Structures are given as C-alpha cells and as structure tokens.
Amino acid sequence: MGVSGYSLRPATAGDAGFLTDMLVAAVNWDPAREPIGRDRVLAERRTAHYVEGWPRPGDLGVIAVEAGGRPVGAAWLRLFGPDDPGYGFVSEGVPELSVGVLPSWRGGGVGRALLTEVVRRAAERGFTRICLSVERSNRARRLYATEGFTTVESGPDSDTMIMILPAR
Ligand SMILES: CC(C)(COP(=O)(O)OP(=O)(O)OC[C@H]1O[C@@H](n2cnc3c(N)ncnc32)[C@H](O)[C@@H]1OP(=O)(O)O)[C@@H](O)C(=O)NCCC(=O)NCCS
C-alpha cells in the first residue's frame, strides 16, 4: 500500500542538511549494527564526499516532501573520479546514486517514486548510466533490482549495480 500526502521536487542548495540526514540513514541502514554518528559520517571522506559542497556541478537530486513542505526522503546523484571514487564507482561520467527515506515513511512507495524520478531526470540530462553500491543483505537491493539495476561486480558483502538509462 502506498503512503499518500507527499510530492516530489528538485533538490536545491538548501537541502544540503537533509541530504546529510539521509546519508546518515543510508550508512546506518542496518538496525542490528551500532549506529555511526553524523559527526563521524561527515569526518570520514569516503562517506562525507556524497554530500560535501552540495550542490556541485553535475549533482542531481530529488526530494520527497510531506504536505507542510517538510522533507521525508531524498534520492541524489553525484559524479566521482577515480582519484576519489564512491563505493559504487564504475567510471568517470557515471553518477552514483544515494537514497534515503525517513523511517516513519518507509515501505509506502516513496523510495521507489524518488528513484523513478531521479532516473527520469538523469536521462533527461543526458546521463547514460547510473551506478550504486549496496550491501547484499539490505532490502534496498530488491528495490534496485526491480527498477532495472543489474549487478556488475560483487564484493564479499556488497554489490555494485548499474542501470542503463533510456536514450533521450
Ligand atoms: C531503501 C529505502 C530508501 C527505500 O525507500 P522506501 O520508501 O522504504 O521504499 P518503497 O516503499 O518504495 O519500497 C520499495 C522497495 O524498497 C524495499 N523496502 C521497503 N521497505 C523497506 C525498508 N523499511 N527498509 C529497506 N528497504 C525497504 C523493498 O524492496 C521494497 O520493495 P517491495 O515492497 O516490492 O518489497 C528506505 O527504506 C531507506 O531509507 N532505508 C534506509 C537507508 C538505505 O538503506 N538506503 C540505501 C542504501 S544503499
């Protein structure tokens, strides 16, 4: 069953704080693990670089907002280079996806709607592929697979997945 009462809008410079919240949520996706605090997420380059300096040229994001305008979820894309790769890096020019939804809004279709919209905007902008990294035991993996991402590389616990975008 889908949740209602939300809408999607492009992410702006004012969303940097919320994107950080969603990055922290994504890092801490597994409730069985000791949570990693926001300060540590921002202190470590390999996690901080998903939001650092937002927005950077090439960044693209979508925010889900509830009726009063409060953000409840986000999906965003950022380009990385081989000198500073994200976990899901495949090659230069292929942006990496991050996604997070507030806990009370999960399981109602917001994540899938965000993903569909960010993919649509990425294709519109001329990107031909999107990549991501997901731990194999994260339920989000199923979301990606059902939206058309395929695994291109498997590590011990995580997969790198890519989606080929429809031509404009
Ligand atoms: C992953 C996440 C963004 C999905 O958003 P959502 O709004 O809960 O997703 P939807 O309701 O659109 O459901 C889509 C799929 O996501 C997965 N999903 C649903 N609820 C979920 C939850 N509570 N946690 C993780 N994945 C979930 C399922 O595969 C679901 O598909 P299904 O209903 O066919 O099984 C969200 O659950 C979340 O923020 N999780 C924590 C952060 C995270 O894991 N980010 C991704 C890191 S790679």
Side-chain angles (χ1 to χ4, degrees):
M1 198 181 71
V3 293
S4 57
Y6 74 93
S7 57
L8 303 179
R9 62 160 174 81
T12 67
D15 294 310
F18 183 69
L19 293 187
T20 305
D21 294 345
M22 294 301 96
L23 174 64
V24 173
V27 168
N28 292 303
W29 68 269
D30 186 351
R33 290 186 204 154
E34 184 73 26
I36 298 173
R38 188 188 179 92
D39 288 354
R40 212 174 113 207
V41 169
L42 288 177
E44 291 197 16
R45 170 114 209 105
R46 62 194 173 144
T47 43
H49 68 174
Y50 285 93
V51 293
E52 213 167 60
W54 176 272
R56 248 170 28 189
D59 284 346
L60 175 58
V62 180
I63 305 287
V65 291
E66 64 178 8
R70 185 181 74 119
V72 299
W76 70 103
L77 297 170
R78 171 162 274 191
L79 289 164
F80 293 97
D83 50 330
D84 181 31
Y87 285 105
F89 181 77
V90 293
S91 77
E92 233 159 334
V94 179
E96 184 168 335
L97 175 80
S98 302
V99 58
V101 170
L102 289 182
S104 60
W105 283 78
R106 287 179 195 162
V110 176
R112 197 178 290 281
L114 282 165
L115 186 50
T116 309
E117 181 60 7
V118 86
V119 163
R120 192 186 68 75
R121 287 176 184 270
E124 212 171 68
R125 199 181 275 189
F127 289 120
T128 55
R129 286 183 292 167
I130 289 175
C131 63
L132 62 83
S133 172
V134 62
E135 286 186 67
R136 215 162 293 120
S137 49
N138 189 340
R139 276 178 65 194
R141 201 188 171 288
R142 216 185 93 81
L143 165 63
Y144 304 140
T146 54
E147 287 298 312
F149 281 86
T150 54
T151 301
V152 290
E153 204 183 319
S154 286
D157 308 309
S158 63
D159 290 331
T160 299
M161 303 179 88
I162 66 160
M163 179 192 254
I164 313 280
L165 301 184
R168 281 176 296 167

